[in-house]
Amino acid sequence: MNNQSATKEKIFQAALSLFNSKGFSGTSMREIAKAAGVNVSTIFYYFDDKKGLLKECFVTFFEEYLNILEKGINQLENADPSIILKDVIHQLLDYQYRNYQLSRFVCREVSIDSQIVRETMTTYFRKERFFLQTLIETGTEAGVFRKVPSGIVVIQLKGMLNQPFLNSIYSAEVWNIYFQERYYIDQYKKQLENWVDLYLCNTKAIPLEEVIS
Amino acid sequence: MNNQSATKEKIFQAALSLFNSKGFSGTSMREIAKAAGVNVSTIFYYFDDKKGLLKECFVTFFEEYLNILEKGINQLENADPSIILKDVIHQLLDYQYRNYQLSRFVCREVSIDSQIVRETMTTYFRKERFFLQTLIETGTEAGVFRKVPSGIVVIQLKGMLNQPFLNSIYSAEVWNIYFQERYYIDQYKKQLENWVDLYLCNTKAIPLEEVIS
Amino acid sequence: MNNQSATKEKIFQAALSLFNSKGFSGTSMREIAKAAGVNVSTIFYYFDDKKGLLKECFVTFFEEYLNILEKGINQLENADPSIILKDVIHQLLDYQYRNYQLSRFVCREVSIDSQIVRETMTTYFRKERFFLQTLIETGTEAGVFRKVPSGIVVIQLKGMLNQPFLNSIYSAEVWNIYFQERYYIDQYKKQLENWVDLYLCNTKAIPLEEVIS
Amino acid sequence: MNNQSATKEKIFQAALSLFNSKGFSGTSMREIAKAAGVNVSTIFYYFDDKKGLLKECFVTFFEEYLNILEKGINQLENADPSIILKDVIHQLLDYQYRNYQLSRFVCREVSIDSQIVRETMTTYFRKERFFLQTLIETGTEAGVFRKVPSGIVVIQLKGMLNQPFLNSIYSAEVWNIYFQERYYIDQYKKQLENWVDLYLCNTKAIPLEEVIS
DNA sequence: AATGAATGAGAGTTCATTCAT
DNA sequence: GATGAATGAACTCTCATTCAT
């Protein structure tokens, strides 16, 4: 993405993968080094300390994440809010699908009450709030969406957006639904579109032709 | 709850609170001992090892959680599935509201790929799947719910149910929504009922009189 | 001395010996553990951290050191200051002779500009100053000592008192003078008594019968 | 001093200052590099390794130090040994005054029992012994000094010479005596001259006109 | 029922040092 | 002449855990 050294990128990917499956605290620097095929010291050379790796994860994730939201907002003037919301949902799911390791990890780690989370996330969350709130409230004002409490609905939406990636193991092992595959993500996306139509706009239901049990 | 010794309960509560805010791996036995006001060895006396504490958290959480689901299923023969689903949602939210520390922690930790999670959770999740799937599919067969892919919808529902507790800090700091307070949980509950009515049953929208911004 | 556990004492002695010869920063916890025949963790169990060991050294050294000075002061009313000063010199040399490792280390480490030195030593040095200044100035007021600038003279005296232990290796290898042996300490003591008589009191020189080259 | 490159000198000064306040082992190459404003590798380029820096300190210090002593010896044939001794004392104090960081550091580090100290210092100390012993014993043979054990007295003298610089912090904070200032060094020098007159030669005391408390 | 002493393994981090450029 | 990338070894310190009491 950025022109970091190849070594730095290698380390970052290794860290990501391990953080994802074992958690931040549950992953040791030595494990990362081994997975990245470098010496432990090299990690410190590039990321200063373990927190540096965490920060990089957060920054990387939110950069594009917020970009997607911002682009959606910028199109609000010319288009139907419900269509834009669907498009944003589409792109966010797609982004998380493409970066499912990062997404899961960030989504989980963010719920831990550490100093670094507070420091790093505050700005991001403020921006995200602005974008989502604008999106919902513009739709309501335009008469496209029902009158809903935006905060509550955003939390609801975020829950739905994250769940597939947060508990992909659960989905896979319990429901045989694999969100690493396009097919299931598309299925999920369709339901969220239904959510917009039925729950938010309260229009007619889209007839479901292909339905998986 | 059960007639454990007061010491054991004290330890469990201390562990819970710390696991909740710092994560399982991020919490040390010493910290727990200090918070509980006992010697480290005492924890081992009661819980065998650190995993024992984790297991206790899972067991405690799912005992009542599954109870709620089971009771719902048992009433399915005599009542409207949509009403039962709403009632189950109501009780699950209420349960998590009463045990928000436990809920948040379990919900987060479950997404970590450790041996102990796999071992402990498999049975619980199988049961949960059976209950939720039955609930949704009975409703569909009875013509009360739209035709929906049950797995996808359950994952969607679970996301919405967990989100308030998983990221309570986010809700509080970013949206000023405090799910430790009845008011906000009731607001949230109302929206999930709307979700059942509008999204699942596709009936008319319930007019919203009281709406928070 | 105090009723610490035998293990703690063992560790302290090992640390002392290593600090003495290799310096504080130059000594590793592992080396100490190995020398003491305990596990590294045990050191932390007793002394919290490495600084804890340093502090213990300072405290141990100055406890008796200041005791000697205090006793001297208490006798000032009834006796000739020059005799008391000689006695104090005698006892200080003797104390350092008995604890030469500790003395050397403390004396050297004290000259390092670290936070812990400042914190720990301030009180001790204030007390020491009070005692030594009182000793010198009482003698001057009594007309026993020449009129001398007390600060300057105390620094001079301290230099003479420490040198044998500070650079015992120098003394041994360069001059074949071994201050671990009574004989040489007694020789040195005699010269310091001469210093009191000739330099401070300016009386006749004591005729030297036994002189080593 | 010598025509080394400016960079080398910059590094040396930075190292000196850090060694002085934190000790040799307590100072890292990175700290030195940072303080000198160069890359770590540059230090290795100029000094080979960390020991190289230490050696340079020793060499630099003793070069002029021994020069002073040698010049004193060379004048012994034509002048009163007591006057020469006083002059040597004067010049040594002055030299240490001008290079107080180096002096303090060398004086302290020399008491550490490391291979490099032994290797580097042996020659210097042998020379120093020869000069000081000759000085004292010539004076004694000439009947100018009392009959004293030269080794003991030299150690005594060295203690007095070093103390002001070894523990300059002690002097400053405890006694408000700042040996970085001419005034106090002159005061101290005067007392060492008294020491020569009264203790070594046993002549009348020099009347003290200006005396600081 | 509960504790203090003690441990081995491993944590994150820093060390002095090298080498290609 | 000077540097940035990379390393292996060692650092201090904390981890979960055991065992005798």
Side-chain angles (χ1 to χ4, degrees):
Chain A
M1 211 156 276
N2 19 13
N3 48 4
Q4 307 165 337
S5 90
T7 306
K8 188 173 183 184
E9 184 59 22
K10 223 168 41 177
I11 294 170
F12 182 65
Q13 289 305 328
L16 203 52
S17 170
L18 284 163
F19 286 166
N20 174 40
S21 62
K22 314 185 68 177
F24 177 71
S25 292
T27 304
S28 83
M29 298 299 272
R30 281 190 178 82
E31 282 176 298
I32 299 171
K34 203 176 170 186
V38 299
N39 189 281
V40 204
S41 324
T42 310
I43 309 183
F44 288 89
Y45 179 74
Y46 281 108
F47 295 91
D48 287 349
D49 54 11
K50 204 184 176 189
K51 283 181 185 173
L53 272 169
L54 187 56
K55 218 174 264 184
E56 191 88 352
C57 288
F58 289 160
V59 170
T60 302
F61 178 78
F62 275 96
E63 201 174 356
E64 193 174 340
Y65 179 88
L66 288 177
N67 254 351
I68 293 171
L69 287 176
E70 192 169 18
K71 278 181 195 158
I73 294 300
N74 291 338
Q75 300 168 340
L76 259 185
E77 295 175 4
N78 320 315
D80 180 347
S82 74
I83 291 177
I84 292 181
L85 178 56
K86 284 184 199 169
D87 189 52
V88 164
I89 287 173
H90 164 77
Q91 292 201 50
L92 289 182
L93 280 177
D94 214 60
Y95 174 57
Q96 297 193 69
Y97 160 74
R98 277 180 287 117
N99 305 76
Y100 70 98
Q101 293 204 95
L102 185 54
S103 302
R104 173 146 81 118
F105 168 58
V106 167
C107 173
R108 182 213 301 137
E109 207 67 27
V110 142
S111 85
I112 282 185
D113 189 13
S114 67
Q115 202 201 345
I116 178 172
V117 168
R118 285 177 191 272
E119 281 173 11
T120 320
M121 303 307 299
T122 310
T123 333
Y124 293 137
F125 278 148
R126 290 273 142 84
K127 282 191 184 171
E128 190 208 24
R129 173 186 168 145
F130 171 75
F131 290 144
L132 288 173
Q133 193 168 14
T134 305
L135 204 50
I136 298 292
E137 292 181 355
T138 306
T140 306
E141 283 160 21
V144 179
F145 297 159
R146 288 188 303 120
K147 248 188 150 185
V148 285
S150 56
I152 296 285
V153 164
V154 163
I155 289 167
Q156 192 180 334
L157 174 59
K158 272 178 68 82
M160 293 189 294
L161 284 170
N162 290 333
Q163 183 68 17
F165 310 98
L166 181 59
N167 271 346
S168 57
I169 292 177
Y170 167 81
S171 306
E173 298 207 349
V174 180
W175 290 93
N176 303 315
I177 293 180
Y178 303 90
F179 286 112
Q180 299 91 319
E181 300 179 13
R182 270 242 77 88
Y183 175 72
Y184 293 104
I185 276 293
D186 286 341
Q187 284 280 335
Y188 197 79
K189 195 189 303 171
K190 213 169 286 176
Q191 290 310 316
L192 291 202
E193 283 170 3
N194 282 349
W195 176 81
V196 174
D197 284 330
L198 301 176
Y199 170 83
L200 261 192
C201 305
N202 196 17
T203 59
K204 281 241 168 91
I206 293 159
L208 280 182
E209 267 111 42
E210 340 84 72
V211 168
I212 54 163
S213 59
Chain B
M1 213 157 274
N2 20 13
N3 48 5
Q4 306 164 338
S5 90
T7 304
K8 186 172 183 183
E9 184 60 21
K10 220 167 44 178
I11 294 169
F12 182 66
Q13 287 306 327
L16 202 53
S17 171
L18 285 163
F19 285 167
N20 174 40
S21 63
K22 315 185 66 178
F24 177 70
S25 290
T27 304
S28 79
M29 298 298 270
R30 269 193 202 145
E31 283 175 299
I32 299 171
K34 202 177 171 187
V38 300
N39 188 285
V40 202
S41 316
T42 310
I43 309 183
F44 287 89
Y45 177 76
Y46 281 111
F47 295 91
D48 288 352
D49 55 9
K50 203 185 175 188
K51 285 180 184 173
L53 273 169
L54 188 58
K55 222 172 261 182
E56 190 87 353
C57 288
F58 289 160
V59 171
T60 302
F61 178 78
F62 275 98
E63 200 175 357
E64 194 174 339
Y65 180 88
L66 288 177
N67 255 350
I68 292 171
L69 286 176
E70 191 169 19
K71 277 182 196 157
I73 294 301
N74 291 338
Q75 298 167 344
L76 258 186
E77 296 175 4
N78 322 315
D80 179 349
S82 75
I83 291 177
I84 291 181
L85 178 57
K86 284 184 198 169
D87 188 52
V88 164
I89 287 172
H90 165 77
Q91 292 200 51
L92 289 183
L93 281 177
D94 213 62
Y95 173 56
Q96 297 193 68
Y97 161 74
R98 277 180 285 116
N99 303 77
Y100 70 98
Q101 292 205 93
L102 186 54
S103 302
R104 171 146 83 118
F105 167 59
V106 167
C107 173
R108 183 212 302 135
E109 207 66 28
V110 141
S111 87
I112 282 184
D113 188 14
S114 67
Q115 200 201 347
I116 177 170
V117 168
R118 286 175 191 272
E119 282 173 11
T120 320
M121 304 305 298
T122 310
T123 334
Y124 292 137
F125 278 148
R126 289 272 142 84
K127 282 191 184 172
E128 191 209 22
R129 174 185 167 145
F130 172 74
F131 290 145
L132 287 173
Q133 193 168 16
T134 306
L135 204 50
I136 297 292
E137 293 181 353
T138 306
T140 306
E141 284 160 18
V144 179
F145 298 157
R146 288 188 303 122
K147 246 187 152 184
V148 285
S150 55
I152 296 285
V153 165
V154 164
I155 289 167
Q156 191 180 336
L157 175 59
K158 273 180 68 84
M160 292 190 292
L161 283 171
N162 290 333
Q163 182 69 16
F165 308 99
L166 181 59
N167 270 347
S168 57
I169 291 177
Y170 167 80
S171 307
E173 298 208 349
V174 180
W175 289 94
N176 303 315
I177 293 180
Y178 302 90
F179 286 113
Q180 299 91 319
E181 298 180 15
R182 270 244 78 86
Y183 175 72
Y184 293 105
I185 276 294
D186 286 342
Q187 284 279 337
Y188 197 79
K189 195 189 303 172
K190 213 169 288 176
Q191 290 309 317
L192 291 202
E193 284 170 2
N194 282 351
W195 177 81
V196 175
D197 285 332
L198 301 177
Y199 170 83
L200 261 192
C201 306
N202 195 16
T203 59
K204 283 242 168 89
I206 292 159
L208 278 182
E209 267 110 40
E210 339 84 73
V211 169
I212 54 163
S213 63
Chain C
M1 214 156 274
N2 18 14
N3 48 2
Q4 308 165 336
S5 89
T7 306
K8 188 173 182 182
E9 183 61 21
K10 222 167 42 179
I11 294 169
F12 182 65
Q13 288 305 328
L16 203 52
S17 170
L18 284 162
F19 286 167
N20 173 40
S21 63
K22 314 185 67 178
F24 177 70
S25 292
T27 303
S28 82
M29 297 300 269
R30 276 197 184 90
E31 285 175 298
I32 299 172
K34 202 175 171 188
V38 299
N39 189 283
V40 201
S41 322
T42 311
I43 309 183
F44 290 90
Y45 178 75
Y46 281 108
F47 294 92
D48 289 348
D49 54 11
K50 206 185 174 187
K51 284 180 185 173
L53 273 169
L54 187 56
K55 219 174 264 185
E56 191 87 353
C57 288
F58 290 159
V59 171
T60 302
F61 178 78
F62 275 96
E63 202 174 354
E64 193 174 338
Y65 179 88
L66 288 176
N67 255 350
I68 292 171
L69 286 176
E70 191 169 19
K71 277 181 196 155
I73 294 300
N74 291 338
Q75 299 168 345
L76 260 186
E77 295 177 5
N78 320 315
D80 179 347
S82 74
I83 291 176
I84 292 180
L85 178 57
K86 284 185 199 168
D87 189 52
V88 163
I89 287 173
H90 164 76
Q91 292 200 49
L92 289 182
L93 281 177
D94 213 62
Y95 173 56
Q96 297 193 68
Y97 160 75
R98 276 181 286 118
N99 304 75
Y100 70 98
Q101 294 203 94
L102 185 54
S103 301
R104 172 145 83 119
F105 168 59
V106 167
C107 174
R108 182 212 303 136
E109 207 66 29
V110 142
S111 87
I112 283 185
D113 189 13
S114 68
Q115 201 200 346
I116 178 172
V117 168
R118 285 176 190 273
E119 281 174 11
T120 320
M121 303 308 299
T122 310
T123 332
Y124 292 137
F125 278 148
R126 290 272 142 84
K127 281 191 184 170
E128 191 209 23
R129 175 188 166 143
F130 172 74
F131 291 144
L132 288 173
Q133 193 168 16
T134 304
L135 206 49
I136 298 292
E137 292 181 355
T138 306
T140 307
E141 283 161 22
V144 179
F145 298 158
R146 288 188 302 122
K147 246 186 150 184
V148 285
S150 55
I152 297 284
V153 164
V154 163
I155 289 166
Q156 190 180 337
L157 173 59
K158 272 180 68 84
M160 293 189 293
L161 283 171
N162 290 333
Q163 182 69 16
F165 309 99
L166 181 59
N167 270 346
S168 57
I169 291 176
Y170 168 80
S171 307
E173 298 207 348
V174 180
W175 290 94
N176 304 314
I177 293 180
Y178 302 91
F179 286 111
Q180 299 91 319
E181 298 179 14
R182 269 242 78 87
Y183 175 72
Y184 293 104
I185 276 293
D186 285 342
Q187 284 280 336
Y188 197 79
K189 195 189 303 171
K190 213 170 286 178
Q191 289 310 316
L192 291 202
E193 283 169 6
N194 282 351
W195 176 82
V196 174
D197 284 331
L198 301 177
Y199 171 83
L200 261 192
C201 305
N202 196 18
T203 59
K204 283 240 169 92
I206 292 161
L208 280 181
E209 269 111 39
E210 339 85 70
V211 168
I212 55 163
S213 61
Chain D
M1 211 157 274
N2 18 13
N3 48 4
Q4 305 165 340
S5 90
T7 305
K8 186 172 183 184
E9 184 60 20
K10 221 168 42 178
I11 294 170
F12 182 65
Q13 287 305 328
L16 202 53
S17 171
L18 283 163
F19 287 166
N20 174 40
S21 63
K22 314 185 68 178
F24 177 70
S25 291
T27 304
S28 79
M29 297 299 270
R30 270 194 202 143
E31 283 175 298
I32 299 171
K34 202 177 171 188
V38 299
N39 188 284
V40 203
S41 317
T42 311
I43 309 183
F44 287 89
Y45 177 76
Y46 281 110
F47 295 92
D48 288 351
D49 54 10
K50 204 185 175 189
K51 283 180 185 173
L53 273 168
L54 188 57
K55 222 173 263 184
E56 190 88 353
C57 288
F58 289 159
V59 170
T60 303
F61 179 77
F62 275 97
E63 200 175 357
E64 193 174 340
Y65 179 89
L66 288 177
N67 255 350
I68 292 171
L69 287 176
E70 192 170 18
K71 277 180 197 158
I73 294 301
N74 291 338
Q75 299 169 341
L76 258 185
E77 296 175 3
N78 321 317
D80 179 348
S82 74
I83 290 177
I84 292 180
L85 178 56
K86 283 185 200 170
D87 189 53
V88 164
I89 287 173
H90 165 78
Q91 292 200 50
L92 289 182
L93 279 178
D94 213 61
Y95 173 56
Q96 297 194 67
Y97 160 76
R98 277 180 285 118
N99 303 78
Y100 70 98
Q101 293 204 93
L102 185 54
S103 302
R104 171 146 82 119
F105 167 58
V106 167
C107 172
R108 183 212 301 137
E109 207 67 28
V110 141
S111 86
I112 282 184
D113 189 13
S114 66
Q115 201 199 345
I116 177 171
V117 168
R118 285 176 192 272
E119 281 173 12
T120 320
M121 303 306 299
T122 310
T123 333
Y124 292 137
F125 278 148
R126 290 272 142 84
K127 282 191 185 171
E128 191 208 22
R129 172 182 168 149
F130 172 73
F131 291 144
L132 288 173
Q133 193 168 16
T134 304
L135 204 49
I136 297 292
E137 292 180 354
T138 306
T140 306
E141 284 160 19
V144 179
F145 298 159
R146 288 189 302 122
K147 246 187 152 185
V148 284
S150 56
I152 296 286
V153 164
V154 163
I155 289 167
Q156 193 179 335
L157 175 59
K158 273 179 68 83
M160 292 189 293
L161 284 170
N162 290 333
Q163 183 68 16
F165 309 99
L166 180 60
N167 271 346
S168 57
I169 292 177
Y170 167 81
S171 306
E173 297 207 349
V174 180
W175 289 94
N176 304 314
I177 293 179
Y178 303 91
F179 286 113
Q180 299 92 318
E181 300 180 13
R182 271 242 75 87
Y183 175 72
Y184 294 105
I185 278 292
D186 285 341
Q187 284 279 337
Y188 197 79
K189 194 189 304 172
K190 213 170 286 175
Q191 290 309 316
L192 292 202
E193 283 169 2
N194 282 350
W195 176 81
V196 174
D197 283 332
L198 301 177
Y199 170 84
L200 262 192
C201 305
N202 196 17
T203 59
K204 280 243 168 92
I206 293 159
L208 279 182
E209 266 110 44
E210 340 85 74
V211 169
I212 54 163
S213 60

